[in-house]
Amino acid sequence: MLILLAGWVFAQGLSFSQALLDWMEREYGAQARDRVVALQTLVEQGDGLGEKEKLRSVNRFFNRIDYADDFALWDQKDYWATPFEVLGINSADCEDYAIAKYFTLISMGVDEERLKITYVKSLTL
């Protein structure tokens, strides 16, 4: 999903295929496959939407996914899940939501220059 070239990072959109759907079902079950199909439908319907409506629809889609921290989900302090892993387990933490929304918006035709992801680490609470 990310391409590193001479210090620049270029994002590519999500790629849907029958192989992906089959893998999702084998790995995570039929409901996970259905969630990927729903995401694919959302992306395909994005052609007819303005940028603000794309943002609203992507937020609605991913904000239905349960929140859990990386220890609970992956037994790790910090794990950056792919959008398909998020849909597979139907759960995410903050950066997982951001990554999933970012790549979905790119897949819907939003210019990468209009999107930014910022990672902030609090040294004290």
Side-chain angles (χ1 to χ4, degrees):
M1 277 188 267
L2 289 178
I3 299 173
L4 180 61
L5 181 63
W8 291 89
V9 176
F10 298 95
Q12 296 178 328
L14 301 172
S15 179
F16 300 94
S17 67
Q18 187 62 46
L20 170 68
L21 295 175
D22 293 344
W23 179 82
M24 289 296 295
E25 188 163 353
R26 277 193 316 276
E27 198 68 23
Y28 299 106
Q31 290 180 332
R33 176 192 175 104
D34 292 345
R35 288 188 291 271
V36 173
V37 169
L39 179 61
Q40 183 176 11
T41 301
L42 175 74
V43 168
E44 290 169 355
Q45 292 173 344
D47 287 341
L49 302 176
E51 195 172 89
K52 285 184 181 181
E53 189 51 40
K54 288 177 184 181
L55 181 59
R56 284 187 200 104
S57 64
V58 170
N59 275 330
R60 275 192 305 268
F61 183 88
F62 283 105
N63 288 352
R64 295 180 300 192
I65 293 174
D66 295 331
Y67 175 86
D69 66 34
D70 286 330
F71 275 119
L73 296 174
W74 306 104
D75 197 29
Q76 294 182 32
K77 181 179 177 184
D78 195 25
Y79 182 84
W80 291 25
T82 69
F84 298 123
E85 288 173 316
V86 167
L87 294 176
I89 62 172
N90 200 31
S91 197
D93 71 353
C94 295
E95 74 272 358
D96 301 336
Y97 289 115
I99 292 166
K101 291 175 182 184
Y102 181 90
F103 284 105
T104 302
L105 288 165
I106 287 173
S107 299
M108 294 173 81
V110 174
D111 186 353
E112 185 180 353
E113 293 296 317
R114 304 271 294 148
L115 303 171
K116 303 288 183 249
I117 294 180
T118 303
Y119 184 83
V120 178
K121 182 176 182 179
S122 175
L123 299 177
T124 60
L125 296 176

